[in-house]
Amino acid sequence: MSQLAQALTLLAALAALIALAALYLRRVRMPRPPVGRFVRSDIAVMTVTLVSMPPIYLHLPRALTACAFGAVFLGACSMALAPVVGGRRGAAVTLTLGAFILTAHLAGWVPARIAAGDLLLALAVVGVSNLWAQTGMTAGQVAALAGLLAPYDLLATGLTSVTAQLVHHFAGMPLGPMLAVNDGTSPIGAGLGDCLMLALWPLVAAKAFGRAAGWCGAIIGLCVVSVVLTGPVAGWVHGGVPLLTGLGPCIVAQYAYWRTRRGPERRTVDWRGTAVEPSTDPFHEQDVAVALAIADQHRDAGWLAVAEGRAVGHALSPGGARRTAREAGHTAVPVVVAVRPHGTAAKANTPGGSGAGQSALSRAVGGGADAERIARVRQSHTGAGEVAAGEWPRNLG
Amino acid sequence: MFGTMIRQIQYGAQMLRGGRLAVSGLQGTVADLRATIEEFGEPGEEAAVMLPGGTEPDPQIQRTMADRRLKLTVRHAAAHVPYYRHLFAELGLNPQDISLDTLALLPPTPKSALRAASSAFVSVRSEPVLLAQTTGTTGIPTSVWFSQYELELAAALSAMSFLMGSALRSRHIVLSTISSRATLAKLTVQRALAMVGAGFIAMGTVDPRIIIDRLATPMRLPGKEPQVTHLIVTASALGGLVQTAERDGWDPADFGLWQILVGGEVLSDPLRSRAEEVFGAQVTDTYSMTETMPTAGLACEEGHLHLSAEQAHIEVLDPLTHTPAGPGETGTLVVTPYTQYRDTTLLLRYDTGDLVRRLPGTEPPTCSLRGMPATSRILGRNTNGPAELTQRAVLDRLQGERRLPLPTRYAVSPGPDGPRLYVVADRPSAALLAHVEKRCADLPLSGVVLLEDPDELPEPCRVRADLTEHSFELPSPRHQPVRSAR
């Protein structure tokens, strides 16, 4: 297979991986721990772990590294399959896949071993990226992780030989951390970290900012992969190319763009559409300051229920005012304010005054002539300390 | 996520070891829980395991844990609490010999002992910071000292219970009508609700008209429901609220109530139904007392009272012989709070005086709280009257009669032919008497007497609603407002 064909195969595999992760996010709800969500410190722990592990792998025996990766991949694959086909079936499928990879490795069926290994890694990536996305990892956190890993990848892959040594170390290993198209010490493939970031970002972007952000994330990710693959295919670059160095800034830029355009990220509960918030403004945008200004025009002392810019109930107690409003047929919750004794609010509401009450009143009645009319009514009514007759609060009307 | 995991492992290890709990870790768990709920809308699928009774533990493991915690508690009390140091010496008991199997060697601690000398129950190694006095209706308050550790722990546990048990969220507003002198309840609830992020209104036991009015009052607050969503109230005060709301024609649509948490007194089934009808909210019966804090009980949908076995050793003993009550038998609740939760006022086998009936048969309950030990709901206080004449039995019959005033006031007094029931009625009549007699026909009474004046009862009937606090909110009759001339 030519290098171009290999590169196109890898691109198609990564596109399939992203699509599978997105489909999984849409269709499958993963179990999550009783308490806990991703926080900043988790990103710090993950970054430290990801950066510190490669040198350790290099000093571990290949068999031990293969076993460690095998255990992680099989566990993640089983976790991904469990909600889809059931726990036992998922475990059985995973073990069968693991057994086939080992058999292929021992039998020397290289293409079969690579294909099965890629499938296992893809399923593991789908499971882990969905676990992170569904347990509350935010787009901001993924952007931070991408931002931290970008310079690291440049250092490990572009400027030093850490990644090259790792590839050499894992060459021919049955459960290596790479989505590879071919075998050997210089394969065309994407590392585990690259695959995770490519799959994860569209998920959290879609969750946080909507489907468009998810699509953009996926397309931009694949574009970065295409650009990166152009180097080896055209023969401009020999050896590893740091994918995250290109992908990281793209993710950070996308986050900045969507955050500016769409505002704060959606929570998981908003994304799922299961949020139980206080009813969408039960007061129907009735402003308290406006209600207070309306109450200042009321003749009788007590409490006034205000809805839709007008008084809908009056009583000697706040609960009573709400009740009279309900009895008058206003089922929506009104804003209830006290009618202040005349004189208390006089300074704020004198005609021509610039107090908050006056401006609120102007807004409530449309300003201009209406405001003046109400102000005149108020002026002509200057009794102080007056209250309506009635018991409290039995006779609430 | 990693921090949460570490805190949960720490908590599990502390629970297994039986030593003091890290309050900061619990407060962190509450914050984690709140963040989880805010992100996902609800805790994870298996969050209930974090609550007492959330799992059905292996009886053998449960017994081993209880034995370990009990031994620690007994040894601590015998070494550092003057009353128990003296008691062990007087009885010639070695604290090392006391275990779950030999606990009966230790006599129950009567309430009178704690009332007589509360400081004798304070551990010499403690740092008391708050004296909480009960607002019981027997006249003499019981005093209990608490440390900062106990208060913070109780608040954190209450916050977890609010978040998971009561599904309280930051958008809710809680109004408490518990007496302002019930320091511990007020303090714990306020701290717990602050952790939850919910709004809290401490009204105190004021006139029911003021409370009902406040329940109906809309509040335009950011991120909060428009009206009070949860009410904390004693059963007698709830009676006053129900009567006022029924009499004054309030409608459930006037309120935004979701849940009414009732405690402190016996809540009868008719009162619960009437409250649900007039306020349109779910009524939950709870049990707790200052002396045994943070041990709390919750009534389930099948009418059992479930008490947490993680926080205290709970026994149901015959009131006279102090031997364990058999299945279906009535006994008093005897509680030993573990030192893991209590380090200041330590009580061993504290006789609460509250009567319950053990569940009949040996089959475990099948209700939603089946992981917690269950009894009947509280039947009332231990008295010298006939066993069938419990407070619950009488209230269940009287509070179904809507012509009788709430809170219900009654007294049972011995008569020549047997006990006689005296009931306070607003307007006693032959018809009403006949109704009440019919309702009480299955009780061992020689007669029923209706009285108009509570002072005429053969013995005073005190209820917590009597702890009324003054308020200037209601206008004085001497200052009736008048409308000004137009």
Side-chain angles (χ1 to χ4, degrees):
Chain A
M1 198 188 287
S2 69
Q3 280 225 316
L4 178 62
Q6 288 178 3
L8 290 174
T9 308
L10 178 65
L11 195 62
L14 288 172
L17 173 67
I18 294 168
L20 190 62
L23 188 68
Y24 192 97
L25 181 74
R26 205 169 157 188
R27 295 278 172 86
V28 183
R29 195 164 183 158
M30 296 186 87
R32 57 183 170 82
V35 179
R37 48 158 296 183
F38 264 91
V39 291
R40 284 181 201 162
S41 59
D42 296 324
I43 301 301
V45 170
M46 284 169 72
T47 308
V48 170
T49 308
L50 287 170
V51 169
S52 60
M53 286 312 283
I56 296 172
Y57 294 144
L58 289 173
H59 292 91
L60 289 176
R62 272 167 52 91
L64 188 62
T65 314
C67 286
F69 276 113
V72 170
F73 290 162
L74 292 174
C77 179
S78 178
M79 176 189 72
L81 292 175
V84 183
V85 296
R88 286 184 183 178
R89 281 187 193 170
V93 170
T94 305
L95 288 175
T96 307
L97 191 58
F100 178 78
I101 293 169
L102 270 182
T103 308
H105 174 66
L106 294 172
W109 307 333
V110 176
R113 191 251 297 162
I114 291 173
D118 285 352
L119 179 61
L120 180 68
L121 185 135
L123 289 172
V125 167
V126 167
V128 171
S129 57
N130 266 277
L131 181 74
W132 289 350
Q134 294 194 30
T135 50
M137 191 182 250
T138 63
Q141 289 164 349
V142 177
L145 184 64
L148 289 168
L149 291 181
Y152 164 74
D153 203 20
L154 178 66
L155 192 72
T157 311
L159 302 178
T160 66
S161 60
V162 173
T163 305
Q165 287 176 45
L166 272 176
V167 172
H168 194 265
H169 189 65
F170 294 140
M173 208 170 84
L175 294 160
M178 180 170 272
L179 190 81
V181 178
N182 58 351
D183 204 13
T185 54
S186 184
I188 291 282
L192 175 62
D194 303 332
C195 294
L196 266 173
M197 291 306 289
L198 282 167
L200 179 62
W201 172 249
L203 303 188
V204 292
K207 185 165 74 84
F209 302 114
R211 199 174 285 184
W215 273 104
C216 281
I219 291 166
I220 291 173
L222 290 171
C223 287
V224 172
V225 173
S226 307
V227 171
V228 166
L229 284 172
T230 308
V233 170
W236 301 334
V237 180
H238 299 282
V241 182
L243 176 65
L244 285 178
T245 305
L247 187 61
C250 288
I251 289 176
V252 173
Q254 286 176 76
Y255 174 73
Y257 172 78
W258 291 115
R259 184 75 175 72
T260 310
R261 196 177 167 86
R262 295 275 166 93
E265 295 185 39
R266 291 189 300 188
R267 299 168 302 167
T268 308
V269 67
D270 302 320
W271 164 65
R272 290 200 188 279
T274 53
V276 186
E277 299 294 341
S279 344
T280 315
D281 190 13
F283 296 94
H284 296 285
E285 297 182 357
Q286 178 60 61
D287 189 276
V288 182
V290 171
L292 193 60
I294 291 168
D296 285 339
Q297 313 309 313
H298 200 77
R299 300 183 59 259
D300 299 324
W303 293 79
L304 202 68
V306 179
E308 297 161 4
R310 63 195 175 92
V312 292
H314 175 255
L316 290 182
S317 66
R322 188 265 183 275
R323 178 175 160 179
T324 52
R326 194 262 307 160
E327 286 170 343
H330 294 274
T331 51
V333 185
V335 167
V336 171
V337 288
V339 179
R340 292 182 287 182
H342 290 164
T344 310
K347 283 181 184 172
N349 287 339
T350 46
S354 57
Q358 181 64 31
S359 56
L361 175 63
S362 300
R363 283 197 302 278
V365 298
D370 281 344
E372 282 175 21
R373 180 174 55 78
I374 292 175
R376 279 202 302 277
V377 171
R378 206 187 150 282
Q379 268 189 316
S380 65
H381 182 71
T382 52
E386 60 190 348
V387 288
E391 294 176 40
W392 194 102
R394 192 167 177 173
N395 179 3
L396 296 157
Chain B
M1 197 69 93
F2 291 114
T4 306
M5 198 169 66
I6 290 166
R7 275 191 285 277
Q8 289 187 347
I9 291 170
Q10 277 177 343
Y11 179 66
Q14 287 159 1
M15 287 297 285
L16 286 172
R17 206 174 59 238
R20 280 167 74 97
L21 297 166
V23 176
S24 59
L26 270 176
Q27 289 167 338
T29 303
V30 173
D32 291 339
L33 186 56
R34 195 178 152 192
T36 305
I37 291 167
E38 279 169 9
E39 176 66 34
F40 301 104
E42 57 189 356
E45 287 78 2
E46 294 179 0
V49 298
M50 293 172 66
L51 279 178
T55 52
E56 291 180 60
D58 180 88
Q60 193 54 44
I61 294 174
Q62 202 171 25
R63 186 176 168 76
T64 306
M65 295 297 299
D67 191 52
R68 186 182 298 171
R69 289 170 183 159
L70 190 67
K71 282 175 178 169
L72 281 170
T73 306
V74 168
R75 284 167 203 174
H76 189 92
H80 306 300
V81 176
Y83 178 86
Y84 292 112
R85 205 154 48 193
H86 180 259
L87 184 71
F88 273 87
E90 193 177 63
L91 297 172
L93 280 174
N94 182 353
Q96 306 289 334
D97 295 339
I98 301 294
S99 67
L100 211 51
D101 296 324
T102 58
L103 187 61
L105 293 171
L106 201 63
T109 302
K111 196 169 256 200
S112 58
L114 182 61
R115 277 190 186 141
S118 62
S119 58
F121 290 87
V122 175
S123 167
V124 294
R125 296 180 69 182
S126 65
E127 188 182 62
V129 298
L130 177 79
L131 175 67
Q133 291 193 311
T134 61
T135 51
T137 51
T138 47
I140 309 164
T142 308
S143 304
V144 187
W145 279 98
F146 289 94
S147 67
Q148 184 69 7
Y149 167 75
E150 293 171 320
L151 297 176
E152 288 178 353
L153 185 63
L157 291 170
S158 296
M160 284 174 72
S161 176
F162 279 144
L163 281 167
M164 292 200 286
S166 302
L168 252 164
R169 301 289 179 259
S170 57
R171 67 178 182 277
H172 292 142
I173 303 171
V174 181
L175 187 148
S176 170
T177 71
I178 305 296
S179 166
S180 299
R181 285 177 288 134
T183 323
L184 185 69
K186 286 268 170 180
L187 206 65
T188 308
V189 170
Q190 189 275 326
R191 285 183 180 199
L193 289 175
M195 283 189 226
V196 171
F200 180 55
I201 305 171
M203 288 288 288
T205 312
V206 294
D207 190 295
R209 287 176 293 170
I210 299 175
I211 293 168
I212 288 180
D213 197 85
R214 198 64 85 255
L215 291 176
T217 301
M219 278 167 279
R220 208 187 202 303
L221 295 167
K224 295 279 188 280
E225 294 289 342
Q227 287 171 292
V228 170
T229 54
H230 291 70
L231 172 67
I232 300 176
V233 65
T234 60
S236 59
L238 179 65
L241 293 176
V242 167
Q243 165 146 310
T244 307
E246 286 176 348
R247 182 195 63 204
D248 295 350
W250 287 89
D251 188 274
D254 293 323
F255 310 105
L257 271 176
W258 294 19
Q259 189 180 30
I260 301 173
L261 294 153
V262 186
E265 289 168 319
V266 170
L267 173 68
S268 73
D269 289 333
L271 180 59
R272 174 205 291 256
S273 302
R274 287 171 69 177
E276 287 179 339
E277 188 183 316
V278 74
F279 291 115
Q282 178 200 353
V283 176
T284 304
D285 195 3
T286 66
Y287 174 77
S288 63
M289 63 193 307
T290 303
E291 299 95 306
T292 59
M293 196 263 335
T295 314
L298 194 63
C300 71
E301 70 279 6
E302 290 184 13
H304 311 131
L305 176 70
H306 295 266
L307 290 147
S308 166
E310 273 94 347
Q311 291 156 2
H313 179 62
I314 293 157
E315 302 168 88
V316 180
L317 301 183
D318 183 284
L320 297 176
T321 63
H322 292 151
T323 54
E329 289 179 356
T330 300
T332 57
L333 275 177
V334 174
V335 182
T336 306
Y338 295 135
T339 47
Q340 198 165 24
Y341 299 91
R342 296 289 293 272
D343 64 356
T344 307
T345 300
L346 297 184
L347 297 165
L348 301 179
R349 305 193 86 200
Y350 181 70
D351 189 344
T352 63
D354 289 327
L355 288 176
V356 291
R357 184 172 294 115
R358 282 195 57 194
L359 299 186
T362 52
E363 286 297 308
T366 54
C367 58
S368 57
L369 299 174
R370 58 187 174 277
M372 298 165 80
T375 65
S376 73
R377 281 185 289 160
I378 300 293
L379 302 175
R381 303 289 304 166
N382 179 24
T383 60
N384 296 325
E388 300 88 348
L389 268 182
T390 62
Q391 202 179 349
R392 178 170 296 282
V394 175
L395 290 177
D396 271 345
R397 284 153 184 84
L398 296 183
Q399 293 186 332
E401 177 52 63
R402 292 187 183 234
R403 281 175 292 178
L404 289 175
L406 292 172
T408 306
R409 293 181 194 279
Y410 75 93
V412 177
S413 184
D417 310 321
R420 186 171 290 181
L421 178 66
Y422 296 81
V423 183
V424 175
D426 281 338
R427 285 181 289 278
S429 66
L432 179 59
L433 180 63
H435 269 95
V436 174
E437 282 177 336
K438 191 178 171 187
R439 284 181 181 275
C440 298
D442 58 337
L443 292 178
L445 294 167
S446 62
V448 176
V449 179
L450 296 185
L451 304 167
E452 202 161 2
D453 185 357
D455 291 338
E456 291 175 16
L457 287 171
E459 53 188 77
C461 177
R462 297 190 183 113
V463 292
R464 283 198 159 89
D466 293 337
L467 297 164
T468 312
E469 298 158 35
H470 289 294
S471 165
F472 295 118
E473 206 163 331
L474 290 173
S476 160
R478 287 183 300 141
H479 297 95
Q480 274 296 322
V482 291
R483 184 187 292 272
S484 63
R486 294 191 180 188

